[in-house]
Amino acid sequence: MSGEWSYAHDLVNMYLGIAYLADHQLDPEEERTFLVKFKEWMPHMSVDQFVEVWEEVKSLYDSLRSDENRHALYLQSTLNVARLLGDSTDQLKCIIQDLVDIAAADGVLHDREATMIKASAIAYGLNIELSFDEEAQRVRLSFRDSS
């Protein structure tokens, strides 16, 4: 590892976690959505830089050996992002929307994915509701007042 764990690492870790932890498969559509979302946050990053971050996160992820440890790392990254973006509710909402888009990219929102997304939202001080729109065949995310 190049030494520095960055905001980019936290994002990759969160996106990998939501794409992989629930069903232990990295669906090609989830991976594609993941890459698109990451590029929106990190437009300055080259493909080589992204590959380096991806490999560092994946290496750490693989070394953890258990879902419990991976979930803990996911939550740590969630909290790191909250610290970084804490004063920007709009950006935190965008991260939650990204997680929903990545999780639902394979056409299914697993209960574990929904739980992980809700845990991230709670860490961000957001109250969310997730529902499946049968007609549109997509997951709908709505934000509620936290009052």
Side-chain angles (χ1 to χ4, degrees):
M1 211 145 126
S2 64
E4 284 296 309
W5 185 270
S6 68
Y7 170 58
H9 290 82
D10 284 317
L11 267 183
V12 167
N13 183 52
M14 288 180 71
Y15 291 175
L16 174 62
I18 204 67
Y20 181 80
L21 272 174
D23 58 6
H24 296 100
Q25 294 178 342
L26 194 53
D27 180 85
E29 197 53 34
E30 286 178 326
E31 193 170 1
R32 189 193 69 72
T33 304
F34 167 135
L35 292 170
V36 167
K37 298 296 182 184
F38 183 80
K39 194 67 177 157
E40 289 171 5
W41 286 102
M42 301 286 172
H44 62 281
M45 193 174 268
S46 71
V47 172
D48 287 347
Q49 288 171 312
F50 171 77
V51 167
E52 182 181 337
V53 168
W54 168 259
E55 287 174 354
E56 289 171 353
V57 171
K58 189 79 172 77
S59 174
L60 176 59
Y61 197 83
D62 291 342
S63 77
L64 294 174
R65 301 202 190 286
S66 77
D67 281 355
E68 290 78 19
N69 290 339
R70 292 176 182 134
H71 276 286
L73 186 64
Y74 172 87
L75 290 173
Q76 183 60 57
S77 287
T78 299
L79 296 174
N80 291 347
V81 169
R83 271 195 297 278
L84 184 75
L85 301 177
D87 59 345
S88 178
T89 302
D90 287 343
Q91 286 187 308
L92 293 172
K93 285 180 176 180
C94 286
I95 298 270
I96 297 300
Q97 183 65 61
D98 287 354
L99 294 174
V100 170
D101 292 346
I102 292 164
D106 62 356
V108 181
L109 182 69
H110 296 276
D111 287 345
R112 268 201 213 142
E113 290 169 329
T115 300
M116 290 170 68
I117 292 165
K118 288 176 182 175
S120 295
I122 290 167
Y124 295 163
L126 302 171
N127 185 3
I128 66 168
E129 187 175 302
L130 297 170
S131 58
F132 191 76
D133 183 331
E134 291 291 339
E135 196 173 310
Q137 287 295 301
R138 63 181 292 251
V139 175
R140 295 244 182 249
L141 165 66
S142 52
F143 294 94
R144 306 256 181 241
D145 281 336
S146 295
S147 52

